[in-house]
Structure formats: C-alpha cells, structure tokens
Amino acid sequence: METNKDSIVDVRSVVEAISSDDNDAPLYQVESLCMHCRQNGTTRFLLTLIPHFRKILLSAFECPHCGERNNEVQFAGELQPRGCHYQLNFPPGDQKMLNRQVVKSDTATIKIPELDFEIPPEAQRGSLSTVEGILLRAADEIEALQEERKKVDPQSAESIDRFLPKLRACAKGESPFTIILDDPAGNSFIENPFAPSPDPSSTIKFYERTPEQQASLGYVVDPSLGGEHRDEALSEELNSTGDQTRREPHGLIGAAAGQRAIAQGNSAEFAESLFRYSAPEEVMTFPSTCGTCAAKCETRMFVTNIPYFREVIVMASSCDACGYRNSELKPGGRIPEKGKKITVLVKNINDLSRDVIKSDTASVEVPELDLVLTSGTLGGVVTTVEGLITKISENLERVHGFTFGDSLDDSKKSKWLDFRARLNKLLSVEDPWTLIIDDALANSFVAPATDDVKDDHQLSFEEYERSWEQNEELGLNDIDTSSADAAYESTDATRKEGTTV
C-alpha cells in the first residue's frame, strides 16, 4: 500500500475523532490495500454513538477495481463490568425474527446447538448486522474455500456440502433453531422488538468473568484469585493466625457507639432507634491482589446483622495503583429453605428512601408499567427504592440499544418515549405504585418505614416453596449433604456419650 501525506492526515483525524466526545464526528476515508486484487481501495471511518448503547467505530472498505466490499464495527468505549449471554429460539416461517439487529464484538462467540455449529471470535470480526446477515455471511465464508478444500480433503468438503444447506435453511427461516451469543466483554447486543416488555423468545443473562476470560480481554490477573480459588484463599486468610490479617476499629458507629449510649443513661430502645443497623466492632483487613493491574492491595471485610433480615458479609477492595474499587455483599448462614417475595406499596416521597438490597437471583416487577426484569438483569445492588428505579431506567436504555436509532419507526419510538416518561413519573409519586422483588434464595430485603415491621402496612413478605426448575437453575438439586449430616449426627452422638460418662 502506497502511503501519502493525505492518508497520514486522515489517520490522525480518525484517532482524534475517536478520542473526542463529539457525537457529530464527520466521515473520514483512507486509501488502503485490497486483500483480494492487491489494488488500492478506500476505507471509510465513522465514529458514531448508538443511542443508549455504545460508542462504536464503523469502517467500510470498497475496492473500485474488483468490487470487493466489507465492513467492520469496533468499540471505542470501555469493557463492561460483566459478560453477557443471549439465547433466542427461532420458530420456522417467521422472517421478522431474522431481521433483529445484532451487534457482535470481536470477543463474542455465536453458537447454533441444533447444527453443532460455532462461530468463534477470531472467525468473524466485530460487525453490525442482523441474525440473517450473520448466518449468510458465515455460510458464504465457509463456501468460499470449498474448491481448495475438495482438492486437499474431499471427505471434509463433502460433509460441508451437506451442512451448508442446513445453515442457509436456518438463515431463511425454513428450519427452527436456537442461536446463542456469548460475549465476555459485555459489548454485544441483540435487539428486542418487544422492549421494554420481556421477549418471550429470548433470555439475557449477565455473568462474572472467569480469570481466563479476564486474561483474554487483556487484564492482568492471577487465576488463583478467581471464583472458588479466591474464596478458598479468603478462608485461609481468615483462619490464619499470622500477622498478615489485622483488625482495626470500625469507628464511632454500631455496637461500640450503642454501648456508650447505654452507659450514658440512654435506654436500649433509644440506642436501637438511633442506630438502624448493627455495625461491627471491628473490620478485618487482609492483603490481596488487584484483579485489574495485579498490584498488591487490601481487602476489608466485616460481618453485620440487618434487623428483620439476616446476617450479611460486606467486602470492599481498593487499589491505590490503578484506582480500581470493588465491593460485594454476601449473605451469611445457610441457604433458606423457601424463596421470598417482597411487595412494597409506594405512596409518598418518603417511601422512595427505603433501603433496598437486591441480590443477583432476584427479579423486579412494577405491575403498573407491565415491567418485569428477570433475575440477574441488574446484578446485586444495595440502594434505595429511588435508586433502584433509576438503575432500571439506565439499564433498559443500555440493554435495548436501538431505542431511538434511525432504524426504529415512529410508532415504536413514541412507545419508548411514553414508557420512559411513565418510568420517570414513578419517582414523583403522583399516583401510588407497587414494587415487587421476588428472590428464590430470599437474599433480598426492603427496609420497613416503622420501628416494628408488623406496623408497616405498605410492606409485605411472602414465603413460597421453590419449584424444581428454580432449584435446578440455582444448582440446589445437585447438592448432596447426606454425608455431612451423617458426620454431624455421629459427632453429636459421641459428644453425648462422653457427657453421660
């Protein structure tokens, strides 16, 4: 490729456009080499923002000599905190389903289980297309090398000849199939035409990345600090008696402050009303490693009890080297035998200030808006009723990326505008509305507005038996505690015999 002064200026302009916050970035073009005919073609760059989704860089190449054309999408923003997993079921004969817009990042994998077919991240670069377009492109790329493949490996070429009609049948909607889009970077997206209502044909899940996925995205991580290994390391740290784990005063709150209040003549009832939650006497601090830059940092942990809820473990880490911060709230004790549904009737502004703990396994529903968020949509959050609604609004606009794009017709756009106005109207509490948090593991909580939860008539709790499907999704059906139960019973019997003697 022959480089000239103008092309250097264009490349510099593209870099400046990517780093700027101007949404009206112009179109830039660069002369580049065509990989098909080895002549010079033109690549055009456009930095654009998909409303309520991501800032992306679109590039399109065209060669006037051989007619070669291709396009690519790259993400100019940051990696998301969690990975995303989309699964859609396509019935036969529904062409509209195949017209769903798809944003596929460089790190995304696409699978069709029925065909035992997978498009790995390196096979297709980032693209902005539809479900039909992605499948047809995959079929064309596989078919392009068939002639050479027949000369080298006739048996594989024959198998591919039998496979391609099946793939094209799926792309045309002639056969039912399931498509799975998994992206550890969290930057991929499949359009939901029913938004903001749930899509009956699809499921969306967000998950924590494994150390291997973190490393593939360019993070410097220690695999021993991920998942179960991290919990084991934490347990070893807490059980150790060395100097690495130290204890420090929590501050002038919690149990210590309550004892002082009682010592000064205040009643226990006054102390309990003054300190809503019992904070710990001390915080345990132990060394750890930053999951982003691998520098040494500290993790602080304490156990506290939330009245009318349960004991919880609060963990917080901060890195002075890169500024990364992370906090987690984990339930203490055993897994509850029943799930819990929490219903809050929001009547006034004060109800918006209620404290809310929403776990990863909880779903959220607002019947007045026909709004349902499945478990895992928002992750685990500690906030207020107002903060939860604000997070829901922000999350819906992020997940349903093409909310106000050029491809959306006026009727759908007006529907979204009306829904967003109604969602924001909840925060003004012009009319009473209901918030329902359903948690199969009963790890969610909404604070009462009165000293005694029984006196709060706007807040209700309902326990229920989990279904087999819920236990299966949570992995509870595979838990076998019979050996542990037998060991505990044997230990108790031995202790009783020793006491009797």
Side-chain angles (χ1 to χ4, degrees), residues 262-400:
I262 296 174
Q264 293 171 359
N266 297 325
S267 64
E269 291 79 13
F270 177 78
E272 289 181 2
S273 62
L274 181 62
F275 305 103
R276 300 178 61 187
Y277 303 140
S278 59
E281 283 287 339
E282 55 194 3
V283 175
M284 286 179 286
T285 303
F286 51 91
S288 61
T289 304
C290 177
T292 301
C293 67
K296 298 296 182 181
C297 64
E298 287 188 342
T299 296
R300 291 174 171 83
M301 186 197 80
F302 67 83
V303 180
T304 184
N305 184 63
I306 298 178
Y308 309 115
F309 183 43
R310 61 189 304 179
E311 184 180 80
V312 296
I313 303 171
V314 182
M315 300 174 60
S317 303
S318 60
C319 178
D320 295 332
C322 67
Y324 175 75
R325 293 184 178 183
N326 179 49
S327 61
E328 297 180 66
L329 187 143
K330 298 184 177 182
R334 63 186 181 88
I335 297 176
E337 297 181 357
K338 297 182 178 180
K340 180 181 290 186
K341 178 184 289 187
I342 306 172
T343 304
V344 185
L345 179 60
V346 181
K347 291 185 176 180
N348 50 59
I349 297 296
N350 293 333
D351 290 326
L352 297 178
S353 301
R354 292 174 182 261
D355 293 326
V356 174
I357 297 176
K358 179 203 167 296
S359 74
D360 287 334
T361 57
S363 63
V364 179
E365 181 180 355
V366 180
E368 287 78 3
L369 293 185
D370 293 329
L371 172 65
V372 179
L373 296 182
T374 57
S375 60
T377 302
L378 294 177
V381 295
V382 180
T383 180
T384 62
V385 173
E386 180 181 9
L388 182 62
I389 296 300
T390 302
K391 287 180 179 292
I392 289 174
S393 178
E394 295 173 352
N395 186 76
L396 285 175
E397 292 179 349
R398 182 182 68 83
V399 174
H400 304 296

Side-chain angles (χ1 to χ4, degrees), residues 440-478:
L441 286 182
N443 287 333
S444 297
F445 167 75
V446 176
T450 58
D451 294 335
D452 192 343
V453 68
K454 297 179 181 179
D455 297 332
D456 192 345
H457 302 295
Q458 297 174 223
L459 178 65
S460 62
F461 301 90
E462 177 187 350
E463 293 186 341
Y464 60 88
E465 296 288 343
R466 285 188 294 265
S467 64
W468 186 92
E469 290 77 10
Q470 288 176 314
N471 286 329
E472 181 68 16
E473 183 177 353
L474 296 171
L476 301 180
N477 290 334
D478 299 327

